[in-house]
Amino acid sequence: MVFAVNNTSSPWSSVSKKIGDVSSMREAMEKANVNYSIVKEPLCRTDGSVIPNHFGVMREDTGQVFDTVKNSWQPLQNVDAFNFFDPMIEEGLMTVDSVGAIKGGERMFITCKINQPPMTIVGDDIINPYMLLLNSHNAKSSIRVGFIPIRLSCTNQLPSIMRNGASQILRIRHSRSPKDSLEGLREVLNLAAGEFQGTQEQLQFLASRPITYSRTREYIKTVLGIEEEDKDIPTRSLNIIETIVALSENGRGNDVAGIRGTFYAATMAFNEYINYYSGRNVDTRMESLWLGKNAVLNSKALTMALEMAS
């Protein structure tokens, strides 16, 4: 199986807009035409009477309702959440890459490239440091800010493998003053970016370790938690395994000398699958990659590769 490669796109390109040179997050959002507002509207019974202390979280321009909340919940407008990045943009520490939304705007996101040297794994295989901010307009989710490495040849979002908690997506609950909470994140994110180069040695190690076809299948099954023999594996799961095996040989950036046939290629194949092919659509795929099951599998894939290659 051979997959078409389009290195100009990203897993989220269909739900976002690439942003050029801007001086603020407000300008980036206006350029992407996504500077919508969130309002909290009272909920009413069928007879027209208001339900006390219950509100609908609504996108003002489309009228789409995302969730129901109580009075203590306060919306954090996208422009206020993203203003956190303005000082870093002004100082040239980062550049806005893309702005987008999934689930009708219930989740708004931005990716920013951190302006520091990339890591080189093998030859021209380059990984750049990015930051991701998610602002979710519902009662259960929080504002999340994280550090993500992105592979240039495929724009896959890789799991961070730093040695401390700074690499994890950080959470801030909606409160009466959420903007105040965001102010304290800069030091943590700077620490995460500073440790970016610490991942290079581990990825280069994976690229130095050869892997056979049978070992690749074993690796994929282990990450997916599949213990059955191939003849007993359900067709859907078997198709996933075969897809990832094919990506390890012909996937984005994996078919070049020094990468193909290594644990690095197998790891990047799994990563490419959950970035581009997993899920019913781009909304469910990105939500799972950032916040759900595939976020866990993304990290597990890298951890298992390091263990099996040692």
Side-chain angles (χ1 to χ4, degrees), residues 78-141:
N78 293 320
V79 68
D80 292 329
F82 296 151
N83 280 343
F84 166 69
F85 288 120
D86 282 354
M88 300 183 194
I89 296 171
E90 293 170 2
E91 295 175 26
L93 300 177
M94 64 169 50
T95 304
V96 178
D97 180 74
S98 61
V99 176
I102 60 175
K103 302 183 71 176
E106 182 179 347
R107 300 194 194 281
M108 181 92 179
F109 68 89
I110 179 167
T111 61
C112 288
K113 182 180 181 298
I114 299 173
N115 294 326
Q116 69 177 61
M119 70 168 79
T120 300
I121 308 305
V122 177
D124 295 329
D125 194 76
I126 291 173
I127 297 174
N128 282 309
Y130 282 74
M131 284 206 300
L132 168 73
L133 187 147
L134 293 171
N135 189 26
S136 300
H137 303 296
N138 57 51
K140 297 179 181 178
S141 298

Side-chain angles (χ1 to χ4, degrees), residues 272-281 284-286 288 294:
E272 181 176 351
Y273 174 76
I274 62 176
N275 270 266
Y276 285 93
Y277 304 104
S278 178
R280 296 188 303 274
N281 53 55
T284 59
R285 183 163 58 252
M286 299 318 300
S288 181
N294 282 346

Side-chain angles (χ1 to χ4, degrees), residues 40 42-43 50-56 68-73:
K40 195 170 66 171
L43 295 180
V50 174
I51 303 175
N53 196 29
H54 285 75
F55 302 83
T68 59
V69 296
K70 294 188 176 181
N71 190 55
S72 59
W73 187 92

Side-chain angles (χ1 to χ4, degrees), residues 199-267:
T199 65
Q200 185 170 8
E201 182 179 339
Q202 291 169 299
L203 294 178
Q204 287 176 336
F205 168 72
L206 292 179
S208 72
R209 302 293 291 174
I211 188 172
T212 62
Y213 172 84
S214 59
R215 189 71 163 157
T216 298
R217 292 181 65 87
E218 178 188 352
Y219 161 70
I220 295 166
K221 290 172 66 175
T222 301
V223 176
L224 293 173
I226 298 173
E227 298 179 355
E228 297 89 348
E229 297 295 327
D230 283 1
K231 62 183 178 63
D232 299 320
I233 298 175
T235 300
R236 181 176 180 276
S237 297
L238 194 59
N239 287 340
I240 292 173
I241 294 171
E242 297 295 347
T243 297
I244 300 174
V245 169
L247 289 172
S248 72
E249 298 176 346
N250 302 306
R252 294 164 167 84
N254 286 345
D255 58 347
V256 299
I259 294 178
R260 189 174 186 177
T262 68
F263 270 94
Y264 180 64
T267 306

